[in-house]
Amino acid sequence: MGILEVKDVNKRFGGLQALGNVNLSVADNTVHAIIGPNGAGKSTLLNCLVGKLIPDTGSVMFAGQSVLGLKPYQINQMGISRVFQTPEIFGDLTVMENMMIPCLAKRDGPFRMHAIRSVFGEKKLRERAEEMLTEVKMLDKRDMHAASMSRGDKRRLEMAMCLVQEPRLLLLDEPTAGMARHDTNNTIDLLKDIKARGNITMCIIEHDMHVVFSLADRITVLAQGTPLVEDTPEKIKGHPKVREAYLGETA
Amino acid sequence: MFGLDKKDTTLLLIVFVLTMCAPFLLNPFPGNSAMAQFNAGYPDLMQRFVIYGIFAIGFNILFGLTGYLSFGHAAFLGVGSYSAVWMFKLLSMNVLPAVILSVIIAGLFALVIGFISLRRSGIYFSILTLAFAQMSFALAYSVLTPITNGETGLQLSLNDPRILGESVSASGGIPFPSLFGLDMRATHVMELGPWMFQFSAGYYFCAVLMLLAFYLAIRIFRSPFGLMLRAVKSNQQRMNYTGLNVRPYTLAAFVISGMYAGLAGGLLAAMDPLAGAERMQWTASGEVVLMTILGGAGTLIGPVLGAGFIKYFENIFSKINDTVLHQWFAFMPDGIEDLLVTVIHPFVGKGWHLTLGLMFMAVVIFLPGGLVQGGQKIGNLFRRKPAADHTTSAAKTPAE
Ligand SMILES: Nc1ncnc2c1ncn2[C@@H]1O[C@H](COP(=O)(O)OP(=O)(O)OP(=O)(O)O)[C@@H](O)[C@H]1O
Ligand SMILES: [Mg+2]
């Protein structure tokens, strides 16, 4: 059994069937890519995993536990972190402060009143945050206002914020969209590195096939809310249905 | 020093010196000059400066950090005052237990109101807090009369038990609030030529509490807790998906700022032992919003500046009447004198709200970071250095 088990999930928005009978099993310590045309329901599926949406029917199990009905912060504390399609960061804060928040959340849990000690007295957490910033090559931007950075940098920051929590399952919604080629390659290298270190499973939604084929162990193709096929990257490349539904479109 | 970094220590020391020397600093004009009108170094006025400073510092912990705009904070001020007066009636005239009870009761009150109001955010939160405060105000006038003494207001009387003190003072009157025997009204007057400086025990008691309140606020601003509060203002969605439960953070901020308001209310009663429902009215809630925004929401020193500014206007500008104006311009030819008086008339005396209103608009439009931002701009003119953000980045993006 995989670390993430999605069974018969349906989600409707009014008359629109956004997800129809989605089944997905993600094995531990693998990278699973979900691809599909715009509006296929990829982000909706992630929303059902992190507690942003509740599926109409079906079940979502993470590490043997159901996540349905849990609040987003509880699901995160179980070990699921998510990078959003449009960067969600703390725009009013500096890069370093952005990094300190997930570090504190990881150490102190959903709520803890540390009202007297200074943030800058948290030596261990700061070192951890700086390490992570070095890995995403953003240490020089540590005192920058997060809102004033480029879209690519915001995305890298968000990824660093998720990674610093050492999640068991990392959900990435188009992590390289809006990045320059060079940064995309850096991101691929970073994710490969993270994967090689082990003890992390990734679910990645991506339109950039170069990224998908560089990282994925398995690929699910989603179209109009339903999985068309699920297979290894090699098989997916040659699959006629996929060429027609997806690859053909973008080629 | 005191667990603060260099910048914050400097700020704290400056505020310390300013409050301790306030009796001198606020009385710069000799008593016999025409400018004596602008002196503010009187005990009751200085007390109000620091008490409303405490109120605004606490309000800023909620509004400045989390962005939640409460329109009902005067309720906690009122609750604090009532608690303190009850303590004077039942226990003793010592201000310390009175003030402590004010803080506790206001905190409990804030816990209840916050728990309910924080189910909503934005304008709905503001309306809920306003509704609660107006409800408290109305109830204090009506059904709660046994506790609040309705329209007359809660006052001390010769029949109060005061189990640890005396019902009647040695001279046969109602005793006065004191700190272990130190009368809060005790004032040392120092005369230096035409200058008269007054050092009041009550003022210094309030000033020390304000310094403590200010110090605590700095620690909160710089703490992990303070960082979380700023995160609430910045992006609640990201907080949720980072494993943080937003509600207890906002509730804690709400209760803390309610306790600050309770302390301020208790001190108001300790300086003048009576409490009326009008202290809870929405105008009083609005005033602390103005103070915080005028001074600079989200900055450390801003709320104190804002409180001082508004209280100064309320008490000094409002006292300038036509007679005073005529005195000032007496040296001018009669026609010009009358003209000047006519032009200035709407802005002073009863018209002080007009001046304050115009100033407030100017600040919000040109200095969204409040007076603190104005100070930084002037400072930068002299230093010719890019803006050094003295407090928090929130100064740049204030009211939402
Ligand atoms: N909260 C919502 N309310 C109503 N409709 C929604 C909602 N969220 C998504 N949809 C609709 O569901 C469908 C699937 O959307 P989703 O965002 O999951 O697509 P996607 O595969 O992520 O596409 P993209 O590649 O553009 O990000 C779309 O038609 C979208 O308009
Ligand atoms: Mg999407």
Side-chain angles (χ1 to χ4, degrees):
Chain A
M1 208 172 86
I3 189 163
L4 180 71
E5 293 284 344
V6 177
K7 289 241 163 68
D8 299 323
V9 162
N10 281 279
K11 184 73 197 174
R12 275 185 163 280
F13 295 117
L16 177 82
Q17 180 90 29
L19 294 176
N21 279 324
V22 175
N23 285 285
L24 183 73
S25 173
V26 180
D28 212 352
N29 296 324
T30 60
V31 176
H32 196 115
I34 300 169
I35 62 173
N38 290 110
K42 305 182 295 295
S43 298
T44 304
L45 178 59
L46 288 203
N47 287 342
C48 290
L49 306 184
V50 296
K52 190 170 183 178
L53 289 175
I54 298 176
D56 301 333
T57 61
S59 70
V60 178
M61 307 285 282
F62 171 68
Q65 264 186 296
S66 173
V67 304
L68 296 187
L70 294 183
K71 297 260 170 56
Y73 75 86
Q74 293 168 320
I75 294 175
N76 173 277
Q77 291 284 351
M78 287 169 75
I80 304 185
S81 289
R82 172 175 180 183
V83 175
F84 282 82
Q85 189 165 354
T86 41
E88 293 282 353
I89 52 172
F90 302 108
D92 297 339
L93 309 184
T94 66
V95 168
M96 192 59 187
E97 285 168 337
N98 267 276
M99 292 299 296
M100 286 304 283
I101 290 171
C103 290
L104 287 162
K106 167 102 178 154
R107 189 192 67 184
D108 296 343
F111 174 72
R112 176 109 178 247
M113 214 154 137
H114 263 314
I116 296 302
R117 196 186 315 158
S118 162
V119 175
F120 293 97
E122 304 279 5
K123 275 234 166 54
K124 262 196 192 148
L125 296 189
R126 285 184 58 199
E127 279 165 18
R128 180 84 194 86
E130 281 168 6
E131 240 170 66
M132 197 64 235
L133 280 179
T134 315
E135 280 200 48
V136 295
K137 302 195 169 61
M138 285 185 76
L139 193 61
D140 53 323
K141 302 200 167 90
R142 47 177 297 163
D143 292 323
M144 254 176 101
H145 225 234
S148 66
M149 298 192 305
S150 72
R151 208 179 145 93
D153 279 350
K154 285 181 187 164
R155 229 172 245 298
R156 279 196 295 170
L157 173 61
E158 192 182 10
M159 207 181 309
M161 289 165 72
C162 288
L163 285 172
V164 82
Q165 289 196 309
E166 296 172 344
R168 290 196 58 195
L169 176 63
L170 177 64
L171 306 173
L172 300 143
D173 200 342
E174 305 194 17
T176 65
M179 273 191 193
R181 188 82 248 167
H182 171 74
D183 287 335
T184 302
N185 288 335
N186 280 339
T187 306
I188 294 174
D189 291 342
L190 172 71
L191 290 175
K192 272 186 176 160
D193 220 43
I194 300 285
K195 182 188 169 190
R197 270 177 253 167
N199 207 16
I200 187 166
T201 308
M202 294 187 226
C203 240
I204 179 166
I205 293 176
E206 189 53 79
H207 282 294
D208 186 334
M209 287 306 129
H210 173 58
V211 178
V212 172
F213 291 122
S214 313
L215 288 167
D217 298 309
R218 285 192 81 77
I219 298 177
T220 296
V221 183
L222 208 62
Q224 288 167 344
T226 321
L228 278 183
V229 275
E230 194 209 301
D231 221 321
T232 58
E234 293 71 36
K235 298 261 175 60
I236 292 287
K237 266 182 202 165
H239 205 287
K241 246 173 154 181
V242 176
R243 300 196 89 95
E244 173 198 340
Y246 188 63
L247 295 178
E249 251 184 41
T250 52
Chain B
M1 218 195 300
F2 316 117
L4 303 181
D5 69 14
K6 220 171 133 206
K7 249 186 193 170
D8 292 338
T9 311
T10 316
L11 184 66
L12 183 65
L13 287 178
I14 291 173
V15 173
F16 173 79
V17 171
L18 289 181
T19 44
M20 288 301 129
C21 301
F24 292 113
L25 298 171
L26 293 175
N27 257 2
F29 308 110
N32 53 8
S33 71
M35 297 299 279
Q37 184 84 36
F38 289 106
N39 281 342
Y42 314 109
D44 59 334
L45 187 49
M46 289 192 298
Q47 282 159 14
R48 249 169 284 159
F49 284 161
V50 288
I51 291 173
Y52 281 92
I54 293 174
F55 190 18
I57 291 170
F59 184 77
N60 189 43
I61 290 176
L62 179 71
F63 174 57
L65 292 182
T66 69
Y68 276 76
L69 177 57
S70 161
F71 245 103
H73 256 51
F76 309 127
L77 192 75
V79 168
S81 288
Y82 282 124
S83 313
V85 175
W86 271 111
M87 212 62 170
F88 292 143
K89 286 169 93 67
L90 300 178
L91 192 73
S92 80
M93 292 308 289
N94 194 336
V95 289
L96 213 52
V99 164
I100 291 171
L101 186 76
S102 303
V103 173
I104 294 172
I105 300 286
L108 290 175
F109 212 68
L111 188 65
V112 175
I113 294 187
F115 184 79
I116 299 168
S117 304
L118 285 166
R119 300 186 158 268
R120 289 280 168 272
S121 60
I123 186 77
Y124 299 102
F125 166 79
S126 304
I127 298 292
L128 279 171
T129 52
L130 176 62
F132 269 112
Q134 279 305 86
M135 195 169 77
S136 316
F137 167 68
L139 290 181
Y141 263 134
S142 53
V143 291
L144 291 178
T145 304
I147 302 175
T148 61
N149 202 23
E151 286 180 39
T152 330
L154 193 60
Q155 291 166 352
L156 302 182
S157 86
L158 293 169
N159 303 325
D160 296 330
R162 275 186 277 283
I163 45 176
L164 292 183
E166 41 181 20
S167 293
V168 182
S169 74
S171 55
I174 298 171
F176 286 97
S178 64
L179 179 67
F180 302 109
L182 172 64
D183 191 334
M184 284 292 113
R185 289 166 317 152
T187 305
H188 174 73
V189 180
M190 182 169 134
E191 292 203 43
L192 274 179
W195 281 278
M196 195 176 84
F197 302 114
Q198 303 180 49
F199 303 89
S200 116
Y203 167 71
Y204 279 100
F205 178 65
C206 296
V208 166
L209 284 179
M210 192 206 77
L211 284 171
L212 282 176
F214 186 62
Y215 172 68
L216 193 67
I218 302 182
R219 295 299 293 254
I220 290 177
F221 266 59
R222 303 294 181 235
S223 69
F225 174 67
L227 181 61
M228 293 304 176
L229 297 186
R230 288 164 61 210
V232 170
K233 181 176 179 177
S234 185
N235 190 342
Q236 292 200 19
Q237 163 117 324
R238 181 28 88 197
M239 260 188 110
N240 281 320
Y241 294 100
T242 306
L244 294 160
N245 191 358
V246 175
R247 189 82 66 76
Y249 280 107
T250 47
L251 185 58
F254 193 87
V255 171
I256 291 173
S257 77
M259 289 164 89
Y260 269 76
L263 173 63
L267 286 174
L268 282 175
M271 297 302 112
D272 184 10
L274 49 88
E278 72 289 340
R279 213 162 263 177
M280 300 196 181
Q281 214 173 355
W282 67 273
T283 45
S285 296
E287 197 180 51
V288 73
V289 179
L290 294 192
M291 287 172 179
T292 309
I293 294 177
L294 184 68
T299 66
L300 282 167
I301 191 70
V304 185
L305 288 181
F309 238 79
I310 287 185
K311 284 295 152 191
Y312 185 84
F313 266 72
E314 182 183 305
N315 291 283
I316 302 293
F317 259 65
S318 63
K319 300 236 168 57
I320 303 172
N321 53 29
D322 283 2
T323 329
V324 177
L325 289 178
H326 277 293
Q327 264 176 25
W328 287 354
F329 300 118
F331 63 94
M332 301 241 182
D334 271 359
I336 300 184
E337 179 186 327
D338 288 342
L339 181 70
L340 276 173
V341 172
T342 317
V343 170
I344 299 179
H345 173 84
F347 296 94
V348 295
K350 290 205 175 71
W352 72 274
H353 279 114
L354 179 60
T355 317
L356 185 67
L358 290 174
M359 235 179 57
F360 185 73
M361 283 189 254
V363 165
V364 169
I365 294 168
F366 299 109
L367 296 171
L371 296 171
V372 168
Q373 193 194 6
Q376 282 170 353
K377 278 194 175 168
I378 295 172
N380 290 337
L381 275 186
F382 287 109
R383 267 179 281 136
R384 299 213 166 274
K385 209 173 76 172
D389 199 358
H390 193 248
T391 45
T392 70
S393 50
K396 285 179 205 139
T397 48
E400 298 191 330

